[in-house]
Amino acid sequence: MSKPDRSYHPGQLVPSFFVDSVETERTFYIERLGFAHRMGIVGRDGHLDFCIVTREASMIMFARPQERRDGTAERYPTPRPLELYIRIEDVDAYHADVTRRGAAIEHPLTDQWWGDRNFAVRDPYGYRIWFNQTVLAFEEVRPPAGVTIV
């Protein structure tokens, strides 16, 4: 296991996902998405019960459920009802890095009308993760016809 990153200071919201294999998620986020291992807890069976990974100001926690829970299986058959939207300092450079690491890009790098430049991948448990960078000031945003910003 890699050395824990002790210098990290998380943002305001930290999602926690229950998954059947913490190792599977940890490996994907580290090897394919370039996250850092912050901390893990090994269970009695020698497998990770819990893990924290970080990237810039984002932190995500993964845990094996201690009691039966629905929806913790890998390659969940339907889209998950939750998606992550993670800000990245340089989304173009990060997109190139993630692509080089072999992550399958689900939605291509695109400039959005609301001022973000983003792309998406899907993790082994079916969660879509969007990575974005704001490229336009709010004053510059021009919504398409039919869209009203309130």
Side-chain angles (χ1 to χ4, degrees), residues 7-84:
S7 63
Y8 178 74
H9 300 287
Q12 296 293 320
L13 177 67
V14 180
S16 180
F17 296 101
F18 285 102
V19 295
D20 288 342
S21 173
V22 173
E23 283 92 349
T24 297
E25 284 288 73
R26 178 189 177 282
T27 298
F28 176 81
Y29 279 78
I30 290 171
E31 292 181 4
R32 297 287 185 254
L33 302 181
F35 277 63
H37 172 88
R38 172 130 172 94
M39 187 270 275
I41 298 173
V42 178
R44 289 188 176 108
D45 63 358
H47 294 283
L48 285 172
D49 276 343
F50 177 81
C51 178
I52 298 172
V53 295
T54 61
R55 174 85 194 188
E56 295 184 17
S58 297
M59 183 164 91
I60 304 170
M61 300 186 299
F62 303 109
R64 280 196 298 176
Q66 299 304 305
E67 68 279 342
R68 186 187 182 296
R69 291 192 183 216
D70 291 334
T72 62
E74 188 175 347
R75 301 290 177 213
Y76 202 69
T78 60
R80 296 292 188 153
L82 174 73
E83 297 182 359
L84 299 180

Side-chain angles (χ1 to χ4, degrees), residues 92-109:
D92 289 279
Y94 184 60
H95 178 269
D97 182 50
V98 166
T99 301
R100 182 188 56 75
R101 291 169 175 271
I105 305 299
E106 187 170 86
H107 290 277
L109 189 59

